[in-house]
Amino acid sequence: MKVSIQIPVYTGANFLKEALDSIQKQTYDNYEVIVVDDGIGEDISSMLAAYPNAIFLRQDHQGVAAARNYALEYSTGEIIAFLDADDLWSEDKLQKQIDYLKEHPECEIVFSKTENFTKLLQEDMTSRQRQLLDTKISNCMVSSCVRRSVFEKYGNYQEKYEYGE
């Protein structure tokens, strides 16, 4: 199963290399990476040259949902996976999730546990950021793998929402 990994980038571009490195360390290797510059205002294309599986797209700032929809247009994988520019994956994340999807064809989406971390100091964070970090999340978009058929059945992301697209 080919996996299309989406990485929308608006804030957090300074963490993008670490996110891409965590993809390259995956034990599962049938994937493509689609990085969408959502109007970040700095050139990241030269950094992406070190990642041969990465496709680089650029759009004016339209928000994360629009960036994810744009990535969907270019993705070719049967499975869509999500990674934000400031997040990391464990080395066996994709392997475990793809194995589960292969063993359970009736399953459309798999999540994994997440662990929150930040390089920001608490005083540099907005109250919304602190609230999100304090929330115990058992699953979230960046821990999921979704069969493409889910988007074909239910449609793409709702671009009118800032969170929970």
PDB file of all heavy atoms in Angstrom, residues 9-11 36-42 57-63 67:
ATOM      1  N   VAL A   9       2.498  23.570   5.754  1.00  0.00           N
ATOM      2  CA  VAL A   9       3.443  24.405   6.494  1.00  0.00           C
ATOM      3  C   VAL A   9       2.994  25.862   6.408  1.00  0.00           C
ATOM      4  O   VAL A   9       2.902  26.416   5.310  1.00  0.00           O
ATOM      5  CB  VAL A   9       4.873  24.296   5.933  1.00  0.00           C
ATOM      6  CG1 VAL A   9       5.842  25.095   6.790  1.00  0.00           C
ATOM      7  CG2 VAL A   9       5.311  22.854   5.822  1.00  0.00           C
ATOM      8  N   TYR A  10       2.708  26.446   7.540  1.00  0.00           N
ATOM      9  CA  TYR A  10       2.480  27.883   7.632  1.00  0.00           C
ATOM     10  C   TYR A  10       3.330  28.443   8.766  1.00  0.00           C
ATOM     11  O   TYR A  10       4.160  29.292   8.576  1.00  0.00           O
ATOM     12  CB  TYR A  10       0.999  28.205   7.838  1.00  0.00           C
ATOM     13  CG  TYR A  10       0.739  29.691   7.937  1.00  0.00           C
ATOM     14  CD1 TYR A  10       1.035  30.528   6.866  1.00  0.00           C
ATOM     15  CD2 TYR A  10       0.222  30.245   9.093  1.00  0.00           C
ATOM     16  CE1 TYR A  10       0.829  31.898   6.957  1.00  0.00           C
ATOM     17  CE2 TYR A  10       0.002  31.612   9.192  1.00  0.00           C
ATOM     18  CZ  TYR A  10       0.306  32.432   8.120  1.00  0.00           C
ATOM     19  OH  TYR A  10       0.090  33.786   8.217  1.00  0.00           O
ATOM     20  N   THR A  11       3.129  27.921   9.944  1.00  0.00           N
ATOM     21  CA  THR A  11       4.040  28.192  11.048  1.00  0.00           C
ATOM     22  C   THR A  11       4.798  26.898  11.315  1.00  0.00           C
ATOM     23  O   THR A  11       4.364  25.827  10.916  1.00  0.00           O
ATOM     24  CB  THR A  11       3.280  28.631  12.324  1.00  0.00           C
ATOM     25  OG1 THR A  11       2.378  27.585  12.689  1.00  0.00           O
ATOM     26  CG2 THR A  11       2.511  29.916  12.089  1.00  0.00           C
ATOM     27  N   VAL A  36       3.125  21.245   1.554  1.00  0.00           N
ATOM     28  CA  VAL A  36       2.407  22.395   1.012  1.00  0.00           C
ATOM     29  C   VAL A  36       2.793  23.643   1.798  1.00  0.00           C
ATOM     30  O   VAL A  36       2.492  23.757   2.984  1.00  0.00           O
ATOM     31  CB  VAL A  36       0.874  22.194   1.062  1.00  0.00           C
ATOM     32  CG1 VAL A  36       0.164  23.431   0.491  1.00  0.00           C
ATOM     33  CG2 VAL A  36       0.464  20.948   0.300  1.00  0.00           C
ATOM     34  N   ASP A  37       3.477  24.555   1.114  1.00  0.00           N
ATOM     35  CA  ASP A  37       3.801  25.865   1.673  1.00  0.00           C
ATOM     36  C   ASP A  37       2.524  26.694   1.594  1.00  0.00           C
ATOM     37  O   ASP A  37       2.080  27.066   0.513  1.00  0.00           O
ATOM     38  CB  ASP A  37       4.934  26.486   0.856  1.00  0.00           C
ATOM     39  CG  ASP A  37       5.219  27.939   1.205  1.00  0.00           C
ATOM     40  OD1 ASP A  37       4.433  28.566   1.941  1.00  0.00           O
ATOM     41  OD2 ASP A  37       6.229  28.458   0.711  1.00  0.00           O
ATOM     42  N   ASP A  38       1.933  26.962   2.746  1.00  0.00           N
ATOM     43  CA  ASP A  38       0.681  27.715   2.819  1.00  0.00           C
ATOM     44  C   ASP A  38       0.972  29.205   3.040  1.00  0.00           C
ATOM     45  O   ASP A  38       0.404  29.847   3.915  1.00  0.00           O
ATOM     46  CB  ASP A  38      -0.194  27.154   3.952  1.00  0.00           C
ATOM     47  CG  ASP A  38      -1.573  27.790   3.997  1.00  0.00           C
ATOM     48  OD1 ASP A  38      -2.121  28.108   2.931  1.00  0.00           O
ATOM     49  OD2 ASP A  38      -2.091  27.984   5.118  1.00  0.00           O
ATOM     50  N   GLY A  39       1.894  29.747   2.238  1.00  0.00           N
ATOM     51  CA  GLY A  39       2.213  31.167   2.325  1.00  0.00           C
ATOM     52  C   GLY A  39       3.096  31.527   3.503  1.00  0.00           C
ATOM     53  O   GLY A  39       2.873  32.552   4.148  1.00  0.00           O
ATOM     54  N   ILE A  40       4.119  30.707   3.773  1.00  0.00           N
ATOM     55  CA  ILE A  40       4.946  30.952   4.960  1.00  0.00           C
ATOM     56  C   ILE A  40       5.871  32.153   4.820  1.00  0.00           C
ATOM     57  O   ILE A  40       6.366  32.665   5.807  1.00  0.00           O
ATOM     58  CB  ILE A  40       5.773  29.712   5.363  1.00  0.00           C
ATOM     59  CG1 ILE A  40       6.727  29.294   4.255  1.00  0.00           C
ATOM     60  CG2 ILE A  40       4.874  28.584   5.782  1.00  0.00           C
ATOM     61  CD1 ILE A  40       7.653  28.162   4.639  1.00  0.00           C
ATOM     62  N   GLY A  41       6.126  32.592   3.590  1.00  0.00           N
ATOM     63  CA  GLY A  41       6.929  33.789   3.404  1.00  0.00           C
ATOM     64  C   GLY A  41       8.427  33.575   3.421  1.00  0.00           C
ATOM     65  O   GLY A  41       9.185  34.525   3.450  1.00  0.00           O
ATOM     66  N   GLU A  42       8.876  32.340   3.424  1.00  0.00           N
ATOM     67  CA  GLU A  42      10.306  32.060   3.319  1.00  0.00           C
ATOM     68  C   GLU A  42      10.487  30.888   2.378  1.00  0.00           C
ATOM     69  O   GLU A  42       9.597  30.060   2.211  1.00  0.00           O
ATOM     70  CB  GLU A  42      10.921  31.769   4.689  1.00  0.00           C
ATOM     71  CG  GLU A  42      10.318  30.566   5.397  1.00  0.00           C
ATOM     72  CD  GLU A  42      10.831  30.390   6.814  1.00  0.00           C
ATOM     73  OE1 GLU A  42      10.219  30.938   7.731  1.00  0.00           O
ATOM     74  OE2 GLU A  42      11.840  29.689   6.970  1.00  0.00           O
ATOM     75  N   LEU A  57       4.716  21.892  -2.985  1.00  0.00           N
ATOM     76  CA  LEU A  57       3.655  22.718  -3.562  1.00  0.00           C
ATOM     77  C   LEU A  57       3.599  24.039  -2.801  1.00  0.00           C
ATOM     78  O   LEU A  57       3.896  24.089  -1.610  1.00  0.00           O
ATOM     79  CB  LEU A  57       2.297  22.014  -3.447  1.00  0.00           C
ATOM     80  CG  LEU A  57       2.192  20.608  -4.035  1.00  0.00           C
ATOM     81  CD1 LEU A  57       0.840  19.998  -3.695  1.00  0.00           C
ATOM     82  CD2 LEU A  57       2.402  20.640  -5.537  1.00  0.00           C
ATOM     83  N   ARG A  58       3.192  25.089  -3.482  1.00  0.00           N
ATOM     84  CA  ARG A  58       3.094  26.405  -2.844  1.00  0.00           C
ATOM     85  C   ARG A  58       1.734  27.018  -3.168  1.00  0.00           C
ATOM     86  O   ARG A  58       1.244  26.878  -4.283  1.00  0.00           O
ATOM     87  CB  ARG A  58       4.214  27.308  -3.357  1.00  0.00           C
ATOM     88  CG  ARG A  58       4.217  28.693  -2.743  1.00  0.00           C
ATOM     89  CD  ARG A  58       5.409  29.516  -3.213  1.00  0.00           C
ATOM     90  NE  ARG A  58       6.582  29.081  -2.465  1.00  0.00           N
ATOM     91  CZ  ARG A  58       7.749  28.792  -3.006  1.00  0.00           C
ATOM     92  NH1 ARG A  58       7.926  28.868  -4.299  1.00  0.00           N
ATOM     93  NH2 ARG A  58       8.769  28.419  -2.252  1.00  0.00           N
ATOM     94  N   GLN A  59       1.138  27.647  -2.156  1.00  0.00           N
ATOM     95  CA  GLN A  59      -0.112  28.381  -2.365  1.00  0.00           C
ATOM     96  C   GLN A  59      -0.088  29.627  -1.483  1.00  0.00           C
ATOM     97  O   GLN A  59       0.649  29.692  -0.502  1.00  0.00           O
ATOM     98  CB  GLN A  59      -1.331  27.523  -2.026  1.00  0.00           C
ATOM     99  CG  GLN A  59      -1.463  27.179  -0.552  1.00  0.00           C
ATOM    100  CD  GLN A  59      -2.685  26.321  -0.242  1.00  0.00           C
ATOM    101  OE1 GLN A  59      -3.236  25.672  -1.112  1.00  0.00           O
ATOM    102  NE2 GLN A  59      -3.115  26.345   0.996  1.00  0.00           N
ATOM    103  N   ASP A  60      -0.907  30.626  -1.832  1.00  0.00           N
ATOM    104  CA  ASP A  60      -1.096  31.759  -0.935  1.00  0.00           C
ATOM    105  C   ASP A  60      -1.756  31.243   0.330  1.00  0.00           C
ATOM    106  O   ASP A  60      -2.464  30.223   0.295  1.00  0.00           O
ATOM    107  CB  ASP A  60      -1.991  32.813  -1.589  1.00  0.00           C
ATOM    108  CG  ASP A  60      -1.307  33.502  -2.765  1.00  0.00           C
ATOM    109  OD1 ASP A  60      -0.064  33.535  -2.795  1.00  0.00           O
ATOM    110  OD2 ASP A  60      -2.029  33.990  -3.660  1.00  0.00           O
ATOM    111  N   HIS A  61      -1.561  31.937   1.437  1.00  0.00           N
ATOM    112  CA  HIS A  61      -2.109  31.465   2.712  1.00  0.00           C
ATOM    113  C   HIS A  61      -3.632  31.345   2.632  1.00  0.00           C
ATOM    114  O   HIS A  61      -4.333  32.320   2.395  1.00  0.00           O
ATOM    115  CB  HIS A  61      -1.715  32.404   3.848  1.00  0.00           C
ATOM    116  CG  HIS A  61      -2.261  31.980   5.170  1.00  0.00           C
ATOM    117  ND1 HIS A  61      -1.965  30.756   5.733  1.00  0.00           N
ATOM    118  CD2 HIS A  61      -3.110  32.594   6.028  1.00  0.00           C
ATOM    119  CE1 HIS A  61      -2.601  30.641   6.884  1.00  0.00           C
ATOM    120  NE2 HIS A  61      -3.305  31.747   7.078  1.00  0.00           N
ATOM    121  N   GLN A  62      -4.113  30.120   2.815  1.00  0.00           N
ATOM    122  CA  GLN A  62      -5.549  29.830   2.786  1.00  0.00           C
ATOM    123  C   GLN A  62      -5.970  28.995   3.981  1.00  0.00           C
ATOM    124  O   GLN A  62      -7.141  28.671   4.129  1.00  0.00           O
ATOM    125  CB  GLN A  62      -5.910  29.095   1.491  1.00  0.00           C
ATOM    126  CG  GLN A  62      -5.637  29.902   0.242  1.00  0.00           C
ATOM    127  CD  GLN A  62      -5.879  29.078  -0.993  1.00  0.00           C
ATOM    128  OE1 GLN A  62      -6.917  28.434  -1.141  1.00  0.00           O
ATOM    129  NE2 GLN A  62      -4.917  29.091  -1.903  1.00  0.00           N
ATOM    130  N   GLY A  63      -5.030  28.557   4.790  1.00  0.00           N
ATOM    131  CA  GLY A  63      -5.356  27.756   5.958  1.00  0.00           C
ATOM    132  C   GLY A  63      -5.031  26.290   5.763  1.00  0.00           C
ATOM    133  O   GLY A  63      -4.825  25.810   4.642  1.00  0.00           O
ATOM    134  N   ALA A  67      -4.724  23.681   2.475  1.00  0.00           N
ATOM    135  CA  ALA A  67      -3.430  23.051   2.186  1.00  0.00           C
ATOM    136  C   ALA A  67      -3.581  21.534   2.114  1.00  0.00           C
ATOM    137  O   ALA A  67      -2.995  20.878   1.241  1.00  0.00           O
ATOM    138  CB  ALA A  67      -2.405  23.442   3.255  1.00  0.00           C
TER     139      ALA A  67
END
